[in-house]
Amino acid sequence: MELHTFKSYAKAHQVEPLVYFCGIDENLEPGAKYGPVKRDVFLIECCVSGYGSIEINGTVFPITPRSCYFLFPGDTVTHGADMHEPRSGYWCAMYGLQIATALKKAGISSASPFAPPELFDEINS
């Protein structure tokens, strides 16, 4: 099934939650930037090594090894890689109407996007 068809199916059937795409960020050029971009899905990103930043709706957050953070649909996001030691890690895109509710209960929002550091190993397993 093609990605856009799969996304439409997920929205129409309110699949809860649905991870539909994962990727790896590695070998980023020092100082590389991506964005600003607005997405229509949730993303969870985990930094395994290196450093960078994530700008969410105008607020810049530093990214360090073992950082896990969530990006919300509709946020304006710019990704940045450190000039000396660019970050690398994993990310997953998710759909699901109940994801926002679960993240809110955990205290995670666009203004406070990081999962507690002690959950890094569990999230990455």
Side-chain angles (χ1 to χ4, degrees):
M1 184 179 295
E2 292 183 44
L3 181 59
H4 71 281
T5 305
F6 192 64
K7 287 169 49 177
S8 298
Y9 175 86
K11 272 188 167 179
H13 294 86
Q14 298 181 356
V15 177
E16 303 292 338
L18 174 67
V19 174
Y20 75 89
F21 195 80
C22 292
I24 299 173
D25 283 335
E26 60 184 353
N27 301 320
L28 297 175
E29 293 291 323
K33 290 217 180 281
Y34 175 73
V37 63
K38 282 188 181 185
R39 297 179 181 91
D40 62 350
V41 297
F42 291 90
L43 258 68
I44 180 171
E45 298 189 357
C46 296
C47 178
V48 175
S49 65
Y51 300 88
S53 64
I54 189 84
E55 182 178 338
I56 304 171
N57 301 325
T59 302
V60 178
F61 299 94
I63 303 302
T64 61
R66 300 182 61 82
S67 294
C68 285
Y69 51 95
F70 290 83
L71 303 175
F72 287 70
D75 284 346
T76 300
V77 177
T78 301
H79 302 262
D82 185 74
M83 289 295 293
H84 304 287
E85 194 177 340
R87 64 180 176 78
S88 65
Y90 307 91
W91 58 271
C92 290
M94 301 176 284
Y95 262 108
L97 300 176
Q98 295 180 14
I99 296 172
T101 301
L103 292 175
K104 183 177 180 181
K105 286 181 182 178
I108 297 172
S109 67
S110 297
S112 181
F114 291 92
E118 61 271 14
L119 295 180
F120 180 85
D121 292 328
E122 187 174 335
I123 291 170
N124 281 292
S125 62

